[in-house]
C-alpha cells in the first residue's frame, strides 16, 4: 500500500517500426561499419521482421534480427558482390530463412458458427476465431481450446442467452434439447482466459443456430451479461491494432470503452469502422450485416 504500480504496455507495431527506423537501424549500421549509402531497410522489410521473426513486448529480438541482416550484407559488400543493399521483404526471407511466427489474418467466413474475436497476449493483441459446431445429442456444451474458468463461464452465458432469445432470433427452441454444441477456440496449446470473448461467443452460437454467417471482415470484443448488455473490457488499444494488422474493416467495441479510443493512433482509426454498442442486439446487426433490416433485433424489454 506504500507503492504505486505503473503498468507498461508493450510497443505497438507502429511504434516498433519507428524505433527501428530512427534508432535500431542506425545503431546496427554503425556497429557493423556500414554507411547509409551502403544499405537501406524498407518499411515493408522492417514490418516483416516485426511480424514474422519476432514476438515480443520490446525490441531486443528485433535489433538482433536487424544485426543479422547487416552482418550477412557486409559479407556480400566486402566480397564485392553487392555495392548497395536494399533490404526488401524478399531479402529478409532469403537471409533470415523460414518465418518463425505466423500471425492470424482475416478470413472469408463461408459457413455458420464462426466469429472473429480479439484478444491480448503478453506480446500484444491478436485475433482469434471462435468456432461452434452442433450435432445430435442432449443439449450438452463442450468447450475446448485450453480455456480458463472465466472464459468457460462466458461460453455458458452465451449459450444461455441464445436459448433465452430463441424466438426473437428465429431459432427453434426444440433444437437446443436435441443438440450438443461444441465450442472451440483454436491455438489449443495457448492458455486463454477472461470475459472479453463473450460477444464473439454469442455471435458464433447465434450464427450456428440461425444458419446465418457472420461477416468475415468484422471483429468484436466485450463481456456479455444474461440480459444482453455488453460490458467494457481491457486492452482496447492492442485489440484494435491487431484487427487493423489482420486486414479487418470493422471492430465492435463496448460503448463504455469509448474513452479508450483516444489511445489508438489516428492513422488506424481513419482506416477502421469502430462501432460502439451497449447491447448484444446492436452488435448482431453489425456482425450479420442486417443493421437496416434489424432481422436480429431484440427489444430491451425482453
Amino acid at each position: 500500500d506504500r507503492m504505486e504500480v505503473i503498468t507498461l504496455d508493450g510497443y505497438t507495431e507502429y511504434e516498433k517500426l519507428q524505433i527501428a527506423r530512427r534508432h535500431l537501424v542506425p545503431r546496427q549500421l554503425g556497429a557493423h561499419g556500414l554507411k547509409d549509402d551502403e544499405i537501406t531497410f524498407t518499411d515493408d522489410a522492417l514490418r516483416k521482421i516485426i511480424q514474422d521473426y519476432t514476438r515480443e513486448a520490446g525490441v531486443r529480438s528485433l535489433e538482433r534480427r536487424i544485426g543479422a541482416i547487416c552482418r550477412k550484407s557486409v559479407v556480400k559488400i566486402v566480397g564485392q558482390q553487392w555495392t548497395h543493399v536494399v533490404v526488401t521483404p524478399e531479402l529478409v526471407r532469403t537471409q533470415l530463412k523460414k518465418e518463425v511466427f505466423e500471425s492470424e489474418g482475416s478470413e472469408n467466413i463461408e459457413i455458420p458458427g464462426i466469429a472473429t474475436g480479439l484478444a491480448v497476449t503478453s506480446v500484444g493483441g491478436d485475433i482469434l476465431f471462435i468456432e461452434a459446431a452442433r450435432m445430435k445429442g442432449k443439449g450438452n456444451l463442450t468447450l475446448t481450446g485450453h480455456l480458463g474458468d472465466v472464459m468457460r463461464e462466458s461460453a455458458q452465458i452465451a449459450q444461455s442467452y441464445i436459448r433465452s432469445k430463441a424466438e426473437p432470433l428465429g431459432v427453434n427452441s426444440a433444437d437446443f434439447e436435441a443438440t450438443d454444441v461444441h465450442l472451440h477456440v483454436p491455438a489449443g496449446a495457448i492458455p486463454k482466459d477472461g470475459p472479453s470473448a463473450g460477444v464473439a461467443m454469442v455471435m458464433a452460437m447465434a450464427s450456428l443456430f440461425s444458419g446465418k454467417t457472420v461477416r468475415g471482415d468484422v471483429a468484436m470484443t466485450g463481456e456479455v451479461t444474461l440480459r444482453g448488455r455488453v460490458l467494457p473490457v481491457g486492452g482496447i488499444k492492442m485489440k484494435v491494432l491487431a484487427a487493423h494488422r489482420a486486414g479487418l474493416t470493422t471492430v465492435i467495441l463496448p460503448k463504455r470503452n469509448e474513452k479508450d479510443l483516444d489511445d489508438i493512433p489516428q492513422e488506424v482509426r481513419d482506416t477502421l469502422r469502430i462501432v460502439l454498442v451497449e447491447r448484444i442486439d446492436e452488435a448482431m446487426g453489425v456482425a450479420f450485416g442486417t443493421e437496416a433490416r434489424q432481422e436480429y433485433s431484440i427489444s430491451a424489454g425482453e
Side-chain angles (χ1 to χ4, degrees), residues 8 67 112 114 119 146 174 201 203 218 220 233 248 293:
L8 300 177
I114 303 175
H146 208 159
M201 289 179 170
M203 295 304 167
V218 176
M220 58 208 76
V233 292
L248 300 167
R293 300 190 302 272

Side-chain angles (χ1 to χ4, degrees), residues 6 13-14 21 51 57 66 73 81 85 93 96 99 113 120 133 138 142-143 168 175 189 210 216 220 245 250 280 292:
I6 300 175
E13 182 179 318
Y14 176 78
R21 170 65 59 204
Q51 295 174 5
I66 293 172
S73 299
Q81 297 176 2
V85 180
R93 178 65 170 77
L96 297 184
E99 290 83 353
V120 174
K138 299 180 180 180
T142 301
L143 304 174
D175 290 346
S210 67
M220 58 208 76
R245 183 177 65 246
T250 303
I280 196 65

Side-chain angles (χ1 to χ4, degrees), residues 125-142:
D126 203 356
I127 69 172
L128 55 92
F129 295 101
I130 310 294
E131 302 176 349
R134 55 188 289 191
M135 63 287 295
K136 290 183 179 180
K138 299 180 180 180
N140 297 322
L141 175 64
T142 301

Side-chain angles (χ1 to χ4, degrees), residues 231-275:
L231 302 183
V233 292
I236 294 298
K237 177 183 178 182
M238 296 296 183
K239 292 175 179 178
V240 173
L241 290 173
H244 177 261
R245 183 177 65 246
L248 300 167
T249 62
T250 303
V251 178
I252 301 173
L253 302 177
K255 175 70 174 177
R256 288 165 60 181
N257 279 120
E258 185 174 8
K259 62 182 182 299
D260 297 309
L261 298 182
D262 293 338
D263 298 332
I264 301 171
Q266 188 62 45
E267 63 271 13
V268 174
R269 296 173 60 180
D270 291 341
T271 58
L272 284 175
R273 180 192 177 204
I274 298 177
V275 182

Side-chain angles (χ1 to χ4, degrees), residues 10-278:
Y11 293 126
T12 66
E13 182 179 318
Y14 176 78
E15 290 169 341
K16 288 181 180 180
L17 177 63
Q18 296 304 316
I19 291 171
R21 170 65 59 204
R22 302 179 189 182
H23 303 288
L24 304 185
V25 170
R27 186 159 64 191
Q28 286 301 312
L29 292 184
H32 291 84
L34 289 166
K35 300 178 181 178
D36 292 340
D37 59 354
E38 290 180 316
I39 184 170
T40 302
F41 282 81
T42 65
D43 286 349
D44 289 340
L46 292 173
R47 288 192 188 95
K48 183 171 182 62
I49 300 172
I50 293 168
Q51 295 174 5
D52 297 341
Y53 293 93
T54 63
R55 190 63 61 90
E56 58 181 345
V59 292
R60 287 189 178 183
S61 294
L62 174 59
E63 184 169 13
R64 293 191 190 102
R65 298 290 185 175
I66 293 172
I69 292 176
C70 288
R71 286 190 294 276
K72 292 177 182 293
S73 299
V74 167
V75 174
K76 297 291 187 180
I77 293 173
V78 172
Q80 297 184 347
Q81 297 176 2
W82 296 344
T83 56
H84 179 77
V85 180
V86 178
V87 182
T88 62
E90 293 74 21
L91 185 62
V92 170
R93 178 65 170 77
T94 300
Q95 296 195 343
L96 297 184
K97 307 304 179 184
K98 183 180 177 181
E99 290 83 353
V100 179
F101 302 101
E102 182 179 355
S103 299
E104 291 282 9
S106 60
E107 294 183 5
N108 183 22
I109 298 176
E110 299 178 347
I111 61 174
I114 303 175
T116 306
L118 297 169
V120 174
T121 68
S122 60
V123 295
D126 203 356
I127 69 172
L128 55 92
F129 295 101
I130 310 294
E131 302 176 349
R134 55 188 289 191
M135 63 287 295
K136 290 183 179 180
K138 299 180 180 180
N140 297 322
L141 175 64
T142 301
L143 304 174
T144 56
H146 208 159
L147 310 183
D149 291 339
V150 176
M151 204 165 185
R152 288 178 172 272
E153 291 177 356
S154 294
Q156 293 167 348
I157 291 172
Q159 185 189 41
S160 297
Y161 178 79
I162 296 299
R163 295 187 67 171
S164 68
K165 303 300 180 182
E167 185 176 348
L169 287 171
V171 176
N172 185 356
S173 58
D175 290 346
F176 295 105
E177 301 297 332
T179 301
D180 285 349
V181 176
H182 185 160
L183 190 145
H184 177 65
V185 183
I190 301 175
K192 311 170 191 70
D193 204 3
S196 61
V199 171
M201 289 179 170
V202 170
M203 295 304 167
M205 291 192 184
S207 170
L208 179 68
F209 283 98
S210 67
K212 303 289 186 179
T213 57
V214 177
R215 289 172 51 192
D217 61 343
V218 176
M220 58 208 76
T221 186
E223 180 181 354
V224 175
T225 71
L226 285 174
R227 292 181 294 162
R229 296 180 61 216
V230 179
L231 302 183
V233 292
I236 294 298
K237 177 183 178 182
M238 296 296 183
K239 292 175 179 178
V240 173
L241 290 173
H244 177 261
R245 183 177 65 246
L248 300 167
T249 62
T250 303
V251 178
I252 301 173
L253 302 177
K255 175 70 174 177
R256 288 165 60 181
N257 279 120
E258 185 174 8
K259 62 182 182 299
D260 297 309
L261 298 182
D262 293 338
D263 298 332
I264 301 171
Q266 188 62 45
E267 63 271 13
V268 174
R269 296 173 60 180
D270 291 341
T271 58
L272 284 175
R273 180 192 177 204
I274 298 177
V275 182
L276 301 173
V277 301
E278 293 181 311

